[in-house]
Amino acid sequence: MAIVKNEPVFEAGDNDYTKPRHIIVEGTNGEIGYDLGKLAREEYGTKLCAYDAPIYAQARREYLARNWPEMLEKSQGVLRAFGMPEDDVVYDGTTLPYDLYDSQRGASLGANTCSAAVLPHEKTDTGATYVSRNFDLMAMVLWSELLGKEPPQGAYSCWERGIVLETRPDKGYRTIQVGGHEVLWPWIDGINEKGLYVTAFHDPWGIGGETSPSGGMNVSGITLTQSFGYILSTCATVEEAKHLILRNHLMQVLINAHVMIADASGNATVFEIDQTTQAYVFVDRVANEPLFATNHPLHTYPEPSTYPEFDMEAEHGSFTRQIILRDAYAKLKPPFKREDVVAMLDQIHCAFIDDEKAEAGPKERTLINVNADLSKPEIAIRWYLGDVGPIEGTNKVKTRMSDFFTFGF
């Protein structure tokens, strides 16, 4: 058995929104794919994504054989778990989606979402790289309710069944990926045994198939969300990750995003795909300075003097959050501590009474908060448990979050 652990992260109450599980897998990539495929089919109700035509499956298999053979081995294990031949040309074995209903190609997510900050290691108390991020998304059934459809009976809401997946392959780095809606490569945060950290944020300027299935269709190369696992399993540094990205063909499905990558040495970058040219570009952290990411492309709007006109009353607006983070950073006095970066992200915690006024999505909440000290190959996570009620005199809602739980190697 490749699955050596599958347990609740904590004992969730009946009224707790999130009930995440900690899963550890080890073995060959084929064994890992097979056992995760069985788990996804039997416990999460996964149905494989279908390709539009056999040529996409055939070309994709050829691409993976050349560029990412470990994923090809995993996908072959997945197909076996579903009783299909390894060279099946109908179904996509590279993704194990769950709890995504009424997927629709090309609809717009229509919301601002996540945020993150990297503190300059040159000014921290131990010289370590400190990072923190908020994962914000709609606390509703995806994609049904977001698209105005009646969800299926018994449907699970966004991130309600979260996963922390630790993978210990016989080839490649050990990784921890945090997310939901995907058993094989949970998106949207991760760290590896070398202290390389990857996270992502919605990019409304991006071009792709938002709210679409996570694979199959006319997908070629690697989807952007799959690339997180690729980076973590093969790269130790930001520089290595950049080269890996530039050598590959990445497609946007599910959600259009830009990606933050940070390493133990203090290097950090945000990878973006230019809307006009589709060029792959990087915005690097400057020495002695922090790096912030929200939802606009940093290569287009790098700092406040380049921002378009926006309303600071819209508390969850992408440019507003950048200003809040910059103001919070300006008030800090070095040496910075790990708790400083967590406190910064708490200032832009997403939970509002009037979502439209805040420029948040409907029922949008900070569903997880993550922080890490990249000198240690570990990651700390807390989950959204529910609302407490409005905060008087503000447009904010007080929420219940779990304690932080730490996962590492």
Side-chain angles (χ1 to χ4, degrees):
M1 289 287 291
I3 298 174
V4 298
K5 182 178 181 179
N6 181 7
E7 299 175 355
V9 173
F10 53 83
E11 186 174 344
D14 292 340
N15 295 323
D16 290 341
Y17 176 87
T18 312
K19 299 173 177 63
R21 297 191 71 83
H22 182 204
I23 300 171
I24 300 176
V25 291
E26 62 182 20
T28 68
N29 283 291
E31 291 167 344
I32 289 170
Y34 180 81
D35 277 10
L36 287 178
K38 284 187 63 179
L39 177 71
R41 188 189 70 208
E42 295 170 2
E43 295 190 21
Y44 290 86
T46 292
K47 291 180 171 56
L48 297 182
C49 301
Y51 285 106
D52 289 345
I55 190 170
Y56 293 107
Q58 294 162 346
R60 189 109 181 270
R61 193 161 54 243
E62 294 166 5
Y63 177 93
L64 293 174
R66 291 193 307 271
N67 295 276
W68 193 8
E70 294 83 4
M71 174 56 94
L72 178 60
E73 293 170 18
K74 277 188 184 179
S75 70
Q76 290 169 336
V78 166
L79 290 170
R80 290 198 307 273
F82 279 79
M84 298 170 187
E86 292 183 354
D87 59 353
D88 185 81
V89 295
V90 177
Y91 293 102
D92 183 356
T94 71
T95 175
L96 289 170
Y98 68 93
D99 297 352
L100 292 171
Y101 314 89
D102 295 311
S103 294
Q104 180 177 319
R105 299 192 200 187
S108 173
L109 192 62
N112 294 305
T113 56
C114 315
S115 313
V118 181
L119 292 184
H121 73 100
E122 298 93 342
K123 298 180 181 179
T124 62
D125 52 355
T126 65
T129 304
Y130 297 146
V131 301
S132 185
R133 74 93 98 248
N134 291 342
F135 173 74
D136 309 324
L137 208 55
M138 283 61 80
M140 57 171 55
V141 176
L142 297 182
W143 300 104
S144 304
E145 290 187 295
L146 184 64
L147 299 175
K149 299 182 179 182
E150 186 70 25
Q153 187 173 4
Y156 291 92
S157 292
C158 175
W159 248 249
E160 186 178 344
R161 295 200 290 177
I163 288 177
V164 179
L165 177 67
E166 181 179 338
T167 305
R168 304 167 179 171
D170 64 336
K171 301 174 185 175
Y173 295 130
R174 294 174 296 168
T175 67
I176 295 172
Q177 289 187 259
V178 184
H181 302 294
E182 172 61 52
V183 177
L184 197 61
W185 38 267
W187 46 283
I188 202 165
D189 281 81
I191 194 168
N192 69 15
E193 62 182 290
K194 297 296 184 181
L196 185 69
Y197 174 72
V198 177
T199 189
F201 325 86
H202 182 224
D203 178 5
W205 280 261
I207 296 175
E210 291 200 305
T211 74
S212 72
S214 59
M217 302 180 293
N218 56 6
V219 169
S220 59
I222 301 166
T223 68
L224 186 65
T225 43
Q226 285 176 331
S227 73
F228 310 154
Y230 192 10
I231 291 166
L232 291 170
S233 64
T234 57
C235 300
T237 66
V238 167
E239 199 65 18
E240 289 179 7
K242 287 181 177 180
H243 282 271
L244 180 73
I245 289 168
L246 293 173
R247 292 197 306 267
N248 281 278
H249 171 59
L250 304 180
M251 289 187 68
Q252 304 236 46
V253 299
L254 280 173
I255 184 171
N256 299 335
H258 53 174
V259 182
M260 176 182 279
I261 311 168
D263 65 27
S265 74
N267 288 335
T269 194
V270 174
F271 160 60
E272 300 176 331
I273 302 177
D274 184 79
Q275 182 183 37
T276 302
T277 66
Q278 293 293 282
Y280 295 177
V281 294
F282 300 95
V283 178
D284 296 337
R285 185 186 75 84
V286 176
N288 296 297
E289 297 295 333
L291 180 63
F292 304 126
T294 50
N295 300 118
H296 56 271
L298 296 181
H299 76 281
T300 305
Y301 305 105
E303 45 87 21
S305 69
T306 66
Y307 295 170
E309 186 175 342
F310 67 98
D311 183 3
M312 277 297 294
E313 294 297 312
E315 297 174 78
H316 199 59
S318 182
F319 299 108
T320 304
R321 278 175 286 139
Q322 280 274 348
I323 297 300
I324 293 171
L325 288 171
R326 289 167 180 269
D327 288 348
Y329 177 76
K331 294 175 183 176
L332 293 178
K333 297 189 184 304
F336 306 137
K337 300 177 176 60
R338 183 172 175 175
E339 52 264 34
D340 291 333
V341 73
V342 178
M344 290 173 65
L345 270 294
D346 284 346
Q347 292 192 37
I348 51 174
H349 184 87
C350 180
F352 298 98
I353 302 167
D354 185 335
D355 293 321
E356 187 173 348
K357 179 181 177 181
E359 293 188 1
K363 298 183 183 178
E364 187 172 354
R365 295 292 184 267
T366 295
L367 297 180
I368 63 171
N369 170 251
V370 168
N371 75 83
D373 167 352
L374 298 185
S375 68
K376 309 168 186 175
E378 62 182 34
I379 190 168
I381 311 156
R382 59 182 169 182
W383 283 266
Y384 168 74
L385 300 180
D387 290 349
V388 176
I391 300 175
E392 188 176 353
T394 75
N395 187 32
K396 295 183 177 181
V397 172
K398 180 177 176 58
T399 64
R400 292 188 298 118
M401 301 292 288
S402 74
D403 294 333
F404 276 111
F405 293 84
T406 298
F407 305 85
F409 305 101

